Amino acid sequence: MGYLRDLWSRREFAWYLAISNLRAQNATTSLGIVWWVLNPLLLTGVYFLVFGVIFSQGRRGNPEYLAYLMSGMFGFRFTSSVIQKASNTIVSNSKLIVNMRFPRLLLPISSIIESAIGYVISIMAFFAIILPVTGNWPGWNLLYFIPIFFFHIFFSLGLGALAARLAVPFRDVSNLIPYLLRIWLYLSPIIWTVDLLDDVPAWVEPAMNLNPMHHFLLAYRTALLGWEFNSVHLAGTIISAVLFLVIGSISFIRFEGKLVNYL
Amino acid sequence: MTEPAIVATDIHVAYRPFADRVPTARRSIGRFRHRETREVVALDGASCTIERGEAVAIVGRNGAGKSTLLRVLAGTLEPDSGTVEVFGEPPTLLQLGVGFNGRLSGKHNVYLGGLALGHSRNEMDEMLPRIEEFAEIGEAIDRPVNTYSSGMRSRLAFAIAMTLEPETLLLDEILAVGDASFKERSMAALQDLVDRAGTVVMVTHSLSQAKRFCDTAIWLDAGRVKMIGPADEVISEYSSASEEPIGSPDKPPGEWNAKERTQLIRRLLTGAKPADLAAESGVDVSEIIAWRRRFIEGGRKALRPRFDGDDDDE
């Protein structure tokens, strides 16, 4: 409880660190903050070229597929960027940690803020592109985005804290993370669509429910693409958020006094 | 005054560094099985009490555990075993190359440091001008800290710490890199802090500074407290044991004539004990040791009078 109060009293620190990092990242490029919009767009551009045009299986240049791809890709990218930032944040702020006494969970939290700002911007870019092409405005469904985003933040914070806690004593973890994230990307409903699943073994479809990202992305599609609401996905997001937040933050907090030994 | 600020009891700390060896697959796999058993013991049962309103020096050779002890006292490093009790506000720690994110500007770092310590954005807005004034680094405050010299970094760090007015300040060699005028202002600010019943603990290799400024000294040796007590006694003891010169002699070398000096050195080099010579000539024993060292290192030329006082151990 005291820890939570400490966290709250230093919330400005997490915010300030996130903003300063974002600023410093783009200070050396000539396009600067334009990259915030450009990065997610180029990323989906690449995947759309490969899976929407080249290996297109009959959906060549389909704008519905573009919307599907972008909504999934941006949601996944939020979590993956939190994990990558959080696993580096302890080492890159080691001097702050060595000299200052503050709740270390603020560092993964600032990674969350950084990534969340990027995510919100990419969602705006999503509508700027999708609306003129498909004309599908999700209407009131868009409100559903808010609770899902909220659970998604806590889910990612838990994973980020876990990654940070593991990456400091075992630096090998940082090398492994990009590959794990890549596999997770392919296992989640981002590039492939559900109709692809006709000729797979029967156990695959229930097994997909074990992937938290599956629930988050399908819930996001209710919000962003106007898909039908499914309470299973809502429950899936809540359970994943609570579970990972508890596991991640507790294991992080129990370890944080030892962090300096490994820096 | 006998009110304690920090009490540390039986502190043990071991680091688990990443060994710098040629990695082979066999070794790496072996490391997985019995993970990194080689530890470096930094503190091996150190205990000390820091009284409020005191200036305390921590002396000892390189690798004796001084910086580690400071980190433990500051609470940034949790000891493997032992307890640290802090009475009052958590202490502020300043180390060389301190609390900075090099990609960010000096100004951003000022805010980051202050916010991490629990100050609000508004408080930092108010303090910024005073910090800039004390640090005297001019427009460099807007440049990334990576572009700073080590002197500028410690100026800024020290200015931040002093402006935040800590109850207890822990300094790790932070003053060694500043120039003379900054050092003077820093010492005045530290004296001010002690006068206001604040507590200062400093790790230093400048024994003259420690002797002049500190009331108490802690001598660390191989992770243990070898001696703790009045600064004069501990530092004389330490400097004669380790042959580290105090540096600022009671009788400056200039007052000696060349003949006396040469004679003294000759006797020293032929095996006379520094302590005997000190008793005979009335010169501080540490100075004689310093002389011998200088002579051995620099030859006869090194014995010309030097008055720089501070830091001639560097």
Side-chain angles (χ1 to χ4, degrees):
Chain A
M1 275 298 114
Y3 194 91
L4 276 181
R5 203 170 41 235
D6 263 9
L7 275 184
W8 180 247
S9 72
R10 315 221 172 160
R11 61 194 181 278
E12 280 182 300
F13 167 76
W15 181 259
Y16 196 86
L17 182 63
I19 300 289
S20 314
N21 272 336
L22 283 172
R23 232 183 253 166
Q25 258 162 39
N26 295 313
T28 47
T29 58
S30 36
L31 286 179
I33 58 168
V34 177
W35 279 110
W36 291 6
V37 182
L38 222 47
N39 270 330
L41 292 185
L42 288 174
L43 183 75
T44 35
V46 168
Y47 279 97
F48 189 67
L49 180 70
V50 175
F51 297 101
V53 179
I54 299 173
F55 302 113
S56 57
Q57 297 169 326
R59 47 171 191 240
R60 178 157 297 167
N62 183 350
E64 300 286 344
Y65 178 67
L66 179 64
Y68 178 88
L69 181 66
M70 281 175 100
S71 60
M73 188 65 80
F74 293 170
F76 180 81
R77 198 166 163 268
F78 172 56
T79 298
S80 73
S81 114
V82 168
I83 291 175
Q84 277 173 323
K85 288 196 165 87
S87 64
N88 293 323
T89 185
I90 304 293
V91 176
S92 63
N93 289 295
S94 57
K95 290 193 173 149
L96 219 53
I97 291 181
V98 168
N99 285 286
M100 310 266 186
R101 209 181 126 108
F102 59 91
R104 314 302 191 197
L105 196 61
L106 286 168
L107 294 172
I109 288 176
S110 103
S111 306
I112 286 274
I113 297 173
E114 232 181 295
S115 306
I117 291 173
Y119 184 39
V120 169
I121 289 174
S122 68
I123 291 298
M124 292 191 233
F126 166 82
F127 282 116
I129 298 218
I130 292 306
L131 279 185
V133 179
T134 66
N136 281 345
W137 174 249
W140 290 110
N141 275 23
L142 194 54
L143 283 180
Y144 188 44
F145 182 85
I146 296 168
I148 297 303
F149 186 34
F150 187 74
F151 300 136
H152 196 185
I153 284 174
F154 286 114
F155 169 69
S156 306
L157 176 60
L159 273 182
L162 205 59
R165 183 249 174 272
L166 290 174
V168 176
F170 313 105
R171 306 280 161 114
D172 313 55
V173 170
S174 314
N175 288 342
L176 213 56
I177 282 176
Y179 301 103
L180 294 177
L181 286 176
R182 185 53 67 92
I183 290 176
W184 197 14
L185 172 84
Y186 293 135
L187 289 179
S188 305
I190 297 166
I191 294 162
W192 46 265
T193 47
V194 184
D195 54 293
L196 233 167
L197 297 175
D198 290 343
D199 50 354
V200 293
W203 57 267
V204 172
E205 216 171 323
M208 288 195 312
N209 284 315
L210 294 175
N211 176 5
M213 193 51 73
H214 179 80
H215 301 293
F216 280 107
L217 295 184
L218 292 181
Y220 274 134
R221 287 188 177 121
T222 301
L224 298 176
L225 306 179
W227 286 18
E228 209 175 305
F229 171 79
N230 183 337
S231 56
V232 172
H233 298 318
L234 179 61
T237 58
I238 295 174
I239 292 169
S240 316
V242 172
L243 194 68
F244 280 88
L245 181 67
V246 169
I247 295 175
S249 53
I250 287 182
S251 76
F252 185 90
I253 291 169
R254 285 175 63 175
F255 181 69
E256 71 170 39
K258 290 277 158 223
L259 278 177
V260 175
N261 295 45
Y262 295 95
L263 293 173
Chain B
M1 245 186 278
T2 48
E3 189 191 345
I6 310 174
V7 179
T9 318
D10 196 27
I11 304 294
H12 290 260
V13 175
Y15 291 102
R16 294 153 202 88
F18 295 94
D20 185 17
R21 294 188 304 179
V22 181
T24 64
R26 207 176 142 197
R27 254 182 220 151
S28 302
I29 290 164
R31 198 158 78 183
F32 250 120
R33 259 191 277 129
H34 27 109
R35 273 182 13 227
E36 271 321 278
T37 46
R38 297 192 307 150
E39 297 183 338
V40 178
V41 175
L43 288 178
D44 190 15
S47 305
C48 63
T49 301
I50 309 290
E51 305 286 349
R52 186 170 304 287
E54 259 192 347
V56 180
I58 301 180
V59 296
R61 300 201 313 202
N62 292 342
K66 304 187 293 291
S67 299
T68 306
L69 179 61
L70 223 50
R71 288 175 181 182
V72 170
L73 295 180
T76 58
L77 176 61
E78 199 175 277
D80 295 331
S81 69
T83 57
V84 184
E85 282 175 280
V86 176
F87 302 89
E89 272 179 34
T92 300
L93 173 65
L94 278 183
Q95 291 182 303
L96 267 184
V98 278
F100 283 132
N101 185 329
R103 289 187 313 160
L104 305 180
S105 72
K107 204 178 265 175
H108 279 144
N109 273 294
V110 169
Y111 279 94
L112 221 48
L115 295 175
L117 291 172
H119 293 271
S120 75
R121 192 74 177 264
N122 291 338
E123 283 171 343
M124 294 313 294
D125 286 338
E126 273 170 40
M127 287 181 198
L128 185 65
R130 277 190 281 154
I131 291 173
E132 282 179 277
E133 194 189 328
F134 194 97
E136 275 190 345
I137 56 171
E139 70 220 30
I141 192 97
D142 289 317
R143 289 208 317 251
V145 171
N146 278 342
T147 65
Y148 285 21
S149 69
S150 59
M152 284 160 79
R153 278 176 197 233
S154 59
R155 270 167 181 254
L156 184 59
F158 193 76
I160 296 172
M162 290 317 292
T163 311
L164 297 180
E165 295 182 343
E167 251 176 46
T168 305
L169 187 59
L170 311 174
L171 299 169
D172 193 351
E173 298 255 34
I174 191 83
L175 300 175
V177 290
D179 56 29
S181 86
F182 180 71
K183 225 178 262 182
E184 211 168 280
R185 277 186 302 143
S186 310
M187 293 315 287
L190 288 180
Q191 187 61 59
D192 204 41
L193 179 70
V194 174
D195 291 345
R196 290 197 316 263
T199 310
V200 174
V201 182
M202 52 163 76
V203 164
T204 181
H205 283 287
S206 168
L207 297 182
S208 63
Q209 191 184 55
K211 207 170 175 179
R212 202 149 16 95
F213 183 71
C214 296
D215 315 299
T216 306
I218 298 171
W219 174 8
L220 272 187
D221 189 51
R224 293 210 176 93
V225 175
K226 189 154 183 178
M227 194 173 167
I228 180 166
D232 286 348
E233 290 171 28
V234 175
I235 287 168
S236 314
E237 195 68 26
Y238 167 65
S239 82
S240 55
S242 63
E243 309 212 339
E244 261 199 67
I246 292 178
S248 176
D250 298 327
K251 186 178 175 187
E255 282 176 33
W256 290 42
N257 65 44
K259 205 173 159 191
E260 267 178 77
R261 241 177 12 229
T262 318
Q263 207 176 6
L264 195 76
I265 297 292
R266 187 172 298 137
R267 286 180 58 196
L268 260 178
L269 293 180
T270 51
K273 280 193 183 137
D276 296 343
L277 292 178
E280 210 177 299
S281 62
V283 179
D284 198 274
V285 65
S286 59
E287 200 206 336
I288 294 177
I289 291 162
W291 277 49
R292 184 172 69 180
R293 205 184 70 156
R294 268 187 220 153
F295 186 82
I296 292 167
E297 279 170 5
R300 206 168 283 267
K301 230 170 39 180
L303 289 174
R304 281 184 310 198
R306 279 174 54 166
F307 292 105
D308 42 5
D310 282 354
D311 293 330
D312 48 2
D313 48 323
E314 281 304 320

